Amino acid sequence: MTFDLWLTFVAASTALLLIPGPTVLLVLSYALSKGRAVALASAAGVALGDLVAMSASLAGLGTLVLASATLFTLLKWVGAAYLVWLGIRLIRSAPAAGLDVPGSADIGAAGVFRHAAAVTALNPKSIAFFIAFVPQFVRADAALLPQFAILTGTFVGLAALNALAYALLADRLRRVIARPAILTWITRAGGSALIGMGVLTATLRKATA
């Protein structure tokens, strides 16, 4: 994997992780009700959940690459189109009202860890997203295991840092994301990033074909 490709993956992953989704809302919920005491538990749970979901996705991708390079190339085209579609859908779903962060039940750090891991890992959309997202940064003609290890380690690390940042800055972030204009801008920016990534990868693939 080239350094430029890795940097592109880092930029795309960071943009996507910043979008307030179910996992972020869960982290905020626990942080607001229990304070910073559960910040590390939340981040660790998110990291484990992403590791499980991403590993499952990459296991399937690895099998597909070994079975047929043509099918893998087709998957990358379909994945690029899916990212564009997902970006358009995200932009259109940008909320017009403020975001209400729910409270959480009485639960300890271990429970927060388990809940965050389960919500992150068992979300079917996560696995579908990884199947569409990760192949854009994988070269079928190179060794897969090192690429998978780099991509997984990078994304899981970024996801953990993102969750930890949300948890530690919960008080300030709650006021920010509660403002309709801010949340709408964040959502639309994330959707635009998805569209741009899908178009860019499709364009580069066509140019090198």
Side-chain angles (χ1 to χ4, degrees):
M1 176 176 291
T2 64
F3 184 66
D4 289 344
L5 184 61
W6 179 78
L7 283 180
T8 303
F9 178 77
V10 170
S13 299
T14 301
L16 297 172
L17 287 168
L18 289 175
I19 302 172
T23 299
V24 169
L25 293 182
L26 180 66
V27 170
L28 282 173
S29 175
Y30 282 128
L32 290 169
S33 63
K34 294 190 168 297
R36 297 186 176 187
V38 297
L40 289 177
S42 299
V46 170
L48 177 60
D50 277 325
L51 178 62
V52 171
M54 198 168 185
S55 297
S57 303
L58 293 183
L61 290 175
T63 301
L64 182 60
V65 173
L66 294 176
S68 173
T70 301
L71 286 177
F72 182 69
T73 301
L74 177 62
L75 176 64
K76 295 182 79 168
W77 278 104
V78 173
Y82 175 74
L83 292 174
V84 172
W85 175 82
L86 193 62
I88 294 174
R89 187 177 180 184
L90 191 59
I91 290 176
R92 295 180 63 182
S93 68
L99 184 65
D100 293 327
V101 179
S104 60
D106 186 17
I107 187 173
V112 171
F113 170 79
R114 290 193 297 269
H115 194 187
V119 168
T120 306
L122 300 180
N123 184 358
K125 292 182 180 180
S126 296
I127 297 178
F129 171 75
F130 283 132
I131 291 176
F133 178 65
V134 175
Q136 312 304 326
F137 304 91
V138 173
R139 291 177 50 195
D141 58 344
L144 295 179
L145 189 57
Q147 295 183 79
F148 286 174
I150 292 172
L151 294 174
T152 301
T154 299
F155 190 90
V156 170
L158 290 173
L161 289 175
N162 181 67
L164 184 61
Y166 269 112
L168 293 177
L169 300 175
D171 288 334
R172 293 185 179 180
L173 291 174
R174 183 181 193 181
R175 290 193 292 269
V176 170
I177 65 174
R179 297 169 57 186
I182 297 297
L183 183 59
T184 298
W185 182 87
I186 293 175
T187 304
R188 289 176 177 172
S192 299
L194 282 173
I195 294 174
M197 184 173 58
V199 172
L200 179 61
T201 54
T203 301
L204 291 176
R205 191 164 303 115
K206 184 176 181 180
T208 56

